[in-house]
Amino acid sequence: MSEKKTNRRDFLFTATYAVGAVGVGATIWPMIDQMNPDASVKALASTEVDVSSVDRGKTITVLWRGKPVFIRRRTQEEIAEAKSVKLEDLKDPQKDEDRAKDPEWLVMLGVCTHLGCVPLDQKGDYNGWFCPCHGSHYDISGRIRKGPAPTNMEIPKYEFVNANTIKIG
Amino acid sequence: MSEHEYTPKSKVGKWFNDRLPLLTLANHLTDYPTPKNLNYWWTFGGILTFCLITQIVTGLVLAMHYIAHADMAFDSVEHIMRDVNYGWLIRYIHANGASMFFLAVYIHIFRSLFYGSYKSPREIIWIIGIIIYLLMMAAAFMGYVLPWGQMSFWGATVITNLFSAIPLVGEGIVTWLWGGYSVDNPTLTRFFTLHYLIPFLILGLVVLHIWALHVPGNNNPVGIDIKKPSKDTVPFHPYIVIKDGFALLMFMIVFAFFVFYTPNILGHADNYIEADPLVTPAHIVPEWYLLPFYAILRSVPDKLLGVVAMLSAILILAALPWLDTSKTRSAVFRPLYKQFYWILVADVLILGYVGAMPAEGLYLLVARVATAYYFLHFLLILPVLGLKEKTLPIPLSITDPVLGGSSNFSTAKNQTKIE
């Protein structure tokens, strides 16, 4: 016991454990990864939306990757309101300019960042969205103002294909 | 447990038993010495076994008709209700059976809390029980998702999103659980698979639960060890079998009342609307048996901390044998603990009530106070009480107070009144 010498057997044990661990890992990983989004789910990555019929002050909801996306054509007052908010009043500080490329169009995931419910349009203390599940209030820029949600509603990747069409994803 | 060695009478029996001692096991189960002072609160173990078997049998039948696909699940449930012979009955038994299962498990758990059944040497029985309870919640939650109604869909969304509170890897875990970017068909099919699997895991744990129980034997209302098996115990069969059977009959009357007279009262009307990923119901509530924990989740204004509080509220139970420092098991001999016990019962009922109400105003305030008290009970009151409380004298044996003549007779009389 006093002197521990690495011998041939120790080497064999260590090598066997190492190979065994790699083998177990390589066997388990496919079992875990099969639960991740599959190729057919990933293939539905983008959606094009015709927004020509959306009036000012109205929101449409479209489905993208199984989630609702709010597209709101904001009025001048709403844009002014969104821009006037001081960053220090925000829980998750973000400028309105960073959220809406074209200030008239707010495109965001209609998913509450708390636990994933769909917030209600034009409700709540901040004239924006209100989540009925656990009471999160969002402003007209979709930023969290009050309630348990930790962050602003997410802005997906999107672009204007032309004046009337938005491509999400 | 039996002191004597069992030998089957017949030659064939002996031959078989020497090779696989099943008859020895059966003999152990029938002769198993049970404290003779067990009251009706001890019959819920048997009732729970019945509930588990009921859920497995009715679930098996439902699985023959149900289709686990986002486009067809809702219609297949209606098909079961309208077209399948006795489908309505089997589904109502299964749906209400879940509620009955939880009703029984809560009584079973609170029985343990009152009589100190979780204390040494029964900690492992208790912890296995908590694991069973966690699995029950998982099974109930996934089962509720299968009809693919509005509450199914949004309940699944909210509960799976709890994992997104985990820093860094949370979002990845949620996507992995969903198998997509929202709750959808891949989520439904895996929930169905797991919902089918979990009852069998529970069945295995129930075997361990009973095995662990049969090592020290049952706790009992006075909470003292069996001193003399011949005097303090009765054999499981026929005494306990008959008593459990009678209690089970009473329980089945309640069960049948729900199934036949108010089969939907414990469910939510919104779940008869097919799942719509674009519209969240105005008021999301879980099933009644999860409401206290839901109230705890909502009472914390921070996402991560809310989730942590909710999970802790359940997991804290596993630490109970070490949080309760009192050497006396039964609340019968703990005058202060008995009062705090009933306050805890009231506290959990209040949490359940506010969990069903909107999280605002007075409800939110009450939920916060009740949540704080819940943790206070386990983390402060129990450890301190065990050291400070002056307990009443414990009888010398189970038989002692019944036969009288001992110095503890008056204690025993009081105790009978309480029960």
Side-chain angles (χ1 to χ4, degrees):
Chain A
M1 283 307 274
S2 53
E3 51 174 324
K4 184 95 175 92
K5 242 179 75 186
T6 309
N7 58 30
R8 192 180 149 85
R9 182 155 296 189
D10 290 331
F11 172 78
L12 284 173
F13 276 139
T14 311
T16 312
Y17 292 145
V19 172
V22 171
V24 168
T27 314
I28 287 175
W29 178 245
M31 296 293 173
I32 295 171
D33 193 45
Q34 53 82 23
M35 279 174 68
N36 273 315
D38 62 32
S40 72
V41 171
K42 284 180 181 160
L44 303 169
S46 73
T47 306
E48 290 199 3
V49 187
D50 177 14
V51 292
S52 57
S53 58
V54 182
D55 293 329
R56 279 179 192 279
K58 288 273 181 276
T59 307
I60 59 163
T61 307
V62 295
L63 208 58
W64 172 66
R65 285 179 161 185
K67 280 179 179 168
V69 174
F70 293 153
I71 302 178
R72 182 170 181 84
R73 188 169 187 189
R74 300 190 293 185
T75 61
Q76 288 307 321
E77 299 85 72
E78 287 174 347
I79 297 169
E81 189 189 322
K83 289 192 194 261
S84 69
V85 177
K86 288 201 213 87
L87 281 187
E88 50 265 37
D89 292 344
L90 296 172
K91 190 171 173 184
D92 178 15
Q94 213 177 6
K95 280 191 216 153
D96 187 56
E97 290 84 340
D98 297 335
R99 295 180 57 79
K101 290 175 195 167
D102 173 352
E104 196 176 319
W105 294 98
L106 178 66
V107 180
M108 68 179 175
L109 282 186
V111 175
C112 180
T113 55
H114 182 225
L115 295 173
C117 297
V118 179
L120 303 168
D121 197 25
Q122 297 299 287
K123 288 251 170 66
D125 296 353
Y126 295 87
N127 245 339
W129 284 267
F130 171 71
C131 182
C133 294
H134 307 96
S136 292
H137 300 255
Y138 296 89
D139 67 13
I140 195 61
S141 187
R143 292 174 295 200
I144 178 66
R145 303 300 291 272
K146 198 173 129 186
T151 57
N152 304 332
M153 278 194 266
E154 203 184 316
I155 304 292
K157 206 174 129 227
Y158 69 93
E159 59 187 76
F160 284 88
V161 179
N162 55 49
N164 288 332
T165 312
I166 296 176
K167 184 181 165 201
I168 307 166
Chain B
M1 271 279 149
S2 334
E3 261 96 79
H4 61 96
E5 272 294 311
Y6 170 75
T7 349
K9 285 188 190 77
S10 75
K11 235 179 154 181
V12 181
K14 195 177 174 310
W15 178 88
F16 181 84
N17 205 50
D18 285 344
R19 283 149 183 82
L20 179 66
L22 271 187
L23 294 169
T24 303
L25 178 66
N27 176 256
H28 161 75
L29 292 176
T30 45
D31 282 2
Y32 171 63
T34 318
K36 63 182 180 187
N37 59 338
L38 294 190
N39 56 35
Y40 274 105
W41 299 116
W42 260 265
T43 58
F44 283 85
I47 288 171
L48 283 161
T49 312
F50 165 80
C51 288
L52 178 62
I53 303 298
T54 306
Q55 292 305 87
I56 289 177
V57 171
T58 51
L60 186 81
V61 173
L62 289 173
M64 293 179 185
H65 304 280
Y66 170 79
I67 301 165
H69 189 283
D71 297 334
M72 289 179 269
F74 187 82
D75 289 342
S76 77
V77 171
E78 282 311 300
H79 161 73
I80 290 170
M81 293 300 289
R82 293 158 196 234
D83 304 337
V84 175
N85 300 330
Y86 294 106
W88 59 273
L89 177 64
I90 293 154
R91 174 162 178 263
Y92 277 154
I93 291 174
H94 196 73
N96 286 284
S99 282
M100 293 301 114
F101 206 155
F102 275 96
L103 175 68
V105 93
Y106 282 130
I107 294 173
H108 195 63
I109 291 173
F110 274 101
R111 192 282 323 269
S112 293
L113 291 181
F114 189 85
Y115 294 109
S117 302
Y118 48 85
K119 289 185 196 182
S120 173
R122 298 185 179 82
E123 301 95 324
I124 297 296
I125 312 173
W126 172 255
I127 289 171
I128 292 172
I130 298 298
I131 298 170
I132 293 174
Y133 174 50
L134 281 170
L135 284 174
M136 277 175 65
M137 289 199 274
F141 158 66
M142 292 194 215
Y144 196 57
V145 174
L146 302 183
W148 211 240
Q150 273 289 66
M151 279 293 161
S152 301
F153 184 89
W154 291 102
T157 301
V158 167
I159 300 298
T160 48
N161 260 307
L162 292 177
F163 291 93
S164 72
I166 303 166
L168 302 175
V169 291
E171 293 294 335
I173 291 176
V174 173
T175 307
W176 177 73
L177 288 172
W178 287 341
Y181 303 104
S182 62
V183 172
D184 210 332
N185 195 49
T187 326
L188 177 60
T189 51
R190 67 191 53 178
F191 275 20
F192 179 56
T193 311
L194 295 173
H195 181 72
Y196 210 127
L197 167 74
I198 290 174
F200 296 98
L201 297 181
I202 293 177
L203 192 62
L205 284 165
V206 166
V207 172
L208 294 184
H209 195 63
I210 296 173
W211 186 0
L213 170 71
H214 281 227
V215 175
N218 288 69
N219 184 29
N220 61 79
V222 289
I224 57 172
D225 294 331
I226 292 165
K227 297 278 153 55
K228 234 185 170 180
S230 59
K231 272 185 146 182
D232 294 344
T233 69
V234 288
F236 188 78
H237 183 76
Y239 295 93
I240 302 298
V241 169
I242 290 297
K243 189 167 184 168
D244 276 1
F246 178 70
L248 179 60
L249 270 177
M250 294 296 116
F251 184 80
M252 283 160 86
I253 291 173
V254 178
F255 197 144
F257 175 81
F258 279 103
V259 169
F260 290 105
Y261 290 93
T262 60
N264 287 307
I265 198 168
L266 297 169
H268 198 294
D270 275 7
N271 221 30
Y272 282 101
I273 302 168
E274 192 167 1
D276 181 354
L278 290 180
V279 184
T280 304
H283 189 193
I284 290 195
V285 276
E287 294 284 81
W288 68 266
Y289 39 79
L290 301 175
L291 285 173
F293 300 110
Y294 193 59
I296 292 175
L297 167 76
R298 297 195 303 182
S299 71
V300 182
D302 181 84
K303 181 171 167 178
L304 178 61
L305 292 179
V307 175
V308 169
M310 186 181 71
L311 290 177
S312 313
I314 304 166
L315 295 178
I316 205 169
L317 292 173
L320 188 56
W322 297 275
L323 288 172
D324 184 349
T325 48
S326 177
K327 291 273 176 283
T328 308
R329 286 195 196 110
S330 175
V332 170
F333 305 105
R334 300 183 62 190
L336 283 175
Y337 173 73
K338 199 190 289 172
Q339 294 175 32
F340 284 113
Y341 169 85
W342 287 111
I343 296 173
L344 180 74
V345 172
D347 188 65
V348 172
L349 291 175
I350 289 168
L351 278 172
Y353 174 73
V354 293
M357 295 294 138
E360 54 199 31
L362 187 63
Y363 293 129
L364 190 57
L365 182 71
V366 172
R368 285 183 178 159
V369 173
T371 300
Y373 184 80
Y374 181 91
F375 286 104
L376 200 70
H377 176 91
F378 289 107
L379 293 176
L380 188 69
I381 295 174
L382 281 189
V384 173
L385 202 59
L387 303 174
K388 298 274 176 208
E389 186 178 32
K390 199 172 169 331
T391 53
L392 302 176
I394 308 173
L396 297 170
S397 75
I398 289 171
T399 310
D400 197 36
V402 184
L403 294 181
S406 91
S407 57
N408 290 311
F409 183 55
S410 58
T411 321
K413 254 170 76 184
N414 287 338
Q415 171 213 336
T416 354
K417 260 187 239 155
I418 290 150
E419 282 155 27

